[in-house]
Amino acid sequence: MNTVVQGNPAAHQPPADVVTEGLQPFLHDVCTTLYAPSLVLSRPAGDIAGGPDGFFHGDRRLLSTLSVRVEGVPVLPVSNTMSSADRTAFRAVLRGVGEHTADPAVTLHRVRSVEPGVLREELEIANAGVKEIRVEVVVGAGSDLASMIDVKSGRTSPALPAELDGDALVWRRDEVTVRLRATSGSPRIDAATGELRFEVALAARQSWSTTLECVVTDDEPLRFPAVARDAVPWSPTALRSADHRMDQFFARSVGDLERLLLADPEHPEDQFLAAGSPWFLTLFGRDSLWAARMLLPLGTELAAGTLRTLARRQGITTDARSDEQPGKILHEVRREGLKLNEGPTLPPVYYGTVDATPLWVILLHDAWRWGLDPEQVRDLLPHAEAALEWLATYGDADGDGLLEYIDVSGLGLANQGWKDSGDSIRWRDGRLAEAPIALCEVQAYGYEAAMGGAALLRAFGRPGAERWEEWAERLKRRFRESFWVEDEAGRYPAVALDAAKRPVDSVTSGFGHLLGTGLLDEEESALLAARLAGPELNSGFGLRTLSTDSTGFNPFGYHIGSIWPHDTAIAVHGLARAGFPAEAASLAGGLVAASTTFEGRLPELFAGHGSAVDSVPAPYPASCRPQAWSAASAVALLQAALGLEADVPAATLRFSPRAAEGIGPLDLTGLRVAGAPLSVRLDAAGRIQVEAPDTLTVHGADRAGDASK
């Protein structure tokens, strides 16, 4: 998936004698409040207290500490509530203050909200007792203005001295200025200690409040600015189903996705999804493309913005350092270079990915089928042609008809598929595969991109369709000849071919990416569906990245046994398209069950122990959350359950709800197709009624109010 800083992550608050400098911090216990490109990471009780915690904006940590305490009084947290992605409330009891029975009498309520470049924290002390109270509320704050890269790498930065500027504490370095003030309450401010002190006297039944406001001024323009609240590129959505877990997962996911949106500064109307919080609030080719593809049932605006944003940055030259090549779609864009623990530094604009380029073509094709304006499609076709040329030249550097990758410079990522950690591609006995590597799922992407590209070229009267269809058929033949291996359970495709073109024989979740792409025949699809449904891969909470019978299996391994929600959602969609609804429903049900452990906000990945071992899934401690393609998985699961496929150029809309077990009846509104509203109702008997544009012929469903068709 995303760029991985290698090394064993460190616990957030380890014993004092344990050295954690230089180790990636854990995130499983942080509370995240988000409005990209700003976010706050804090303790569950609300304080920003070291480690990865902080108020961040544009990959810079503005506040490294922020605490609220009451002098001489224990403040005991009792709850936190995430009302939306950008708003979190914390409630605590002031123990022993104003009490005349065993009941708590005085509480502290903190309500945190984030906007781009602004953090606000509303503080309220409420006295529900019968006695007058007097307390001193102390707000402590500090800043180190550390880069996100340093925080992610576990490198500590010295605290900056605070200045007193009028009624605000101020921290400055280079082009960045951070100001923290209270809007009321007349605190005593001590710049030396970074404290604001409030004297609070409350009679019975009274309350006191103030608002802390932290604002950043940064003279360096952001790589990618925020998106206004009223500019979200999809309509308001709502899901009411028989499975309230699915409802929570869907609602939380869509809310998180709204706050992960960023804009292209060259054309602010073009939006895309940042990959994830906290480390990846930026443009990632693969992540942004997959998330936009999963969200096509919500409309084509996000897909169009993502396609254009990446097309403007499509490779035009050959540069070994950045891995740029003509026609190639980039991997990531950052404010500054990313230093990996093992030494090299990736450049701020890095192209080291083998799959973003075919995924770009696939998204353009699918967006066209969902009704993207033909003129917008036409404008992007030269970029599609350049991407297809990259597949046939740089993507297949040795001319064997398959797509492979190698880090030519030796300074970039060793693995350049979505499983891009250094140990992800390995043999069944645990040995690491040697590059150049040809991944199984990338062959499926290449086939789908070539066939989809051919369809686009033919539909728009451009030459080359036959060439790409022939190229795709050659790839299909080469895949069948080269990838298939066999064990005691039968035939299956290897995860990859290594440098010697030997099939690397581990059993992985990559099977799910092959289904429904056209690369496999019916018999091959059935073999993979059975593997995906088996207990070695299907954990009961989703799909493991590596089979439990592999020597390298580790349930906490980043790509070697953990569960990635987007990976499972891709498999669910592929199974449904390939005609295996029971297997699709089983995997989808496991992912929905897992979502409840994370309050509907599925993380980037979680541990792969499985439901036979754990009643709930264990977090992967360093996982990002929220994360774009994990959140977008909620929409992908619903699309698969409904068997929803659009072909606007052919004026058809199809439904086949065979994988909808457990979630019907349901009502789903806020979808869009061909630029018009689409709503779906599935009843308890499995019948579908839709409200859809009259220009489309609907198959497998009735139009609302007309059940006779």
Side-chain angles (χ1 to χ4, degrees), residues 6-26:
Q6 299 297 313
N8 295 322
H12 176 65
Q13 290 180 323
D17 60 344
V18 175
V19 177
T20 61
E21 175 74 16
L23 299 180
Q24 182 175 324
F26 284 178

Side-chain angles (χ1 to χ4, degrees), residues 633-657:
S633 296
V635 177
L637 294 186
L638 286 171
Q639 182 183 359
L642 296 169
L644 171 57
E645 298 289 343
D647 189 352
V648 173
T652 61
L653 189 65
R654 296 184 181 276
F655 293 87
S656 179

Side-chain angles (χ1 to χ4, degrees), residues 384-559:
E385 290 167 329
L388 290 169
E389 289 293 343
W390 180 87
L391 295 181
T393 53
Y394 299 95
D396 180 16
D398 61 6
D400 70 343
L402 298 170
L403 300 174
E404 54 269 324
Y405 63 82
I406 187 171
D407 173 28
V408 177
S409 71
L411 301 174
L413 295 175
N415 286 313
Q416 297 188 357
W418 82 263
K419 299 174 184 176
D420 60 6
S421 53
D423 65 349
S424 63
I425 309 304
R426 53 175 62 212
W427 295 79
R428 199 163 187 163
D429 62 10
R431 291 175 295 132
L432 298 183
E434 183 181 349
I437 287 171
L439 294 171
C440 68
E441 66 264 25
V442 171
Q443 313 315 310
Y445 304 157
Y447 178 86
E448 198 170 6
M451 294 299 289
L456 286 167
L457 294 175
R458 184 171 285 114
F460 285 84
R462 299 174 78 100
E466 294 81 4
R467 174 195 173 191
W468 294 113
E469 287 169 343
E470 291 171 1
W471 186 90
E473 288 305 313
R474 181 189 177 205
L475 185 152
K476 180 188 282 190
R477 289 195 303 273
R478 292 286 294 116
F479 182 86
R480 188 164 286 126
E481 294 164 356
S482 305
F483 272 81
W484 284 83
V485 294
E486 190 167 0
D487 63 9
E488 63 278 3
R491 297 172 59 242
Y492 66 96
V495 63
L497 304 184
D498 72 355
K501 301 297 180 182
R502 297 173 301 178
V504 181
D505 62 350
S506 55
V507 173
T508 73
S509 62
F511 298 163
H513 295 240
L514 310 181
L515 289 165
T517 64
L519 186 66
L520 308 175
D521 62 27
E522 290 185 13
E523 179 185 355
E524 293 164 343
S525 296
L527 290 171
L528 298 197
R531 292 270 185 170
L532 291 170
E536 293 83 10
L537 286 174
N538 183 358
S539 73
F541 293 127
L543 196 61
R544 296 184 178 98
T545 44
L546 184 66
S547 170
T548 56
D549 61 9
S550 293
T551 300
F553 171 76
N554 175 3
F556 277 119
Y558 196 63
H559 292 126

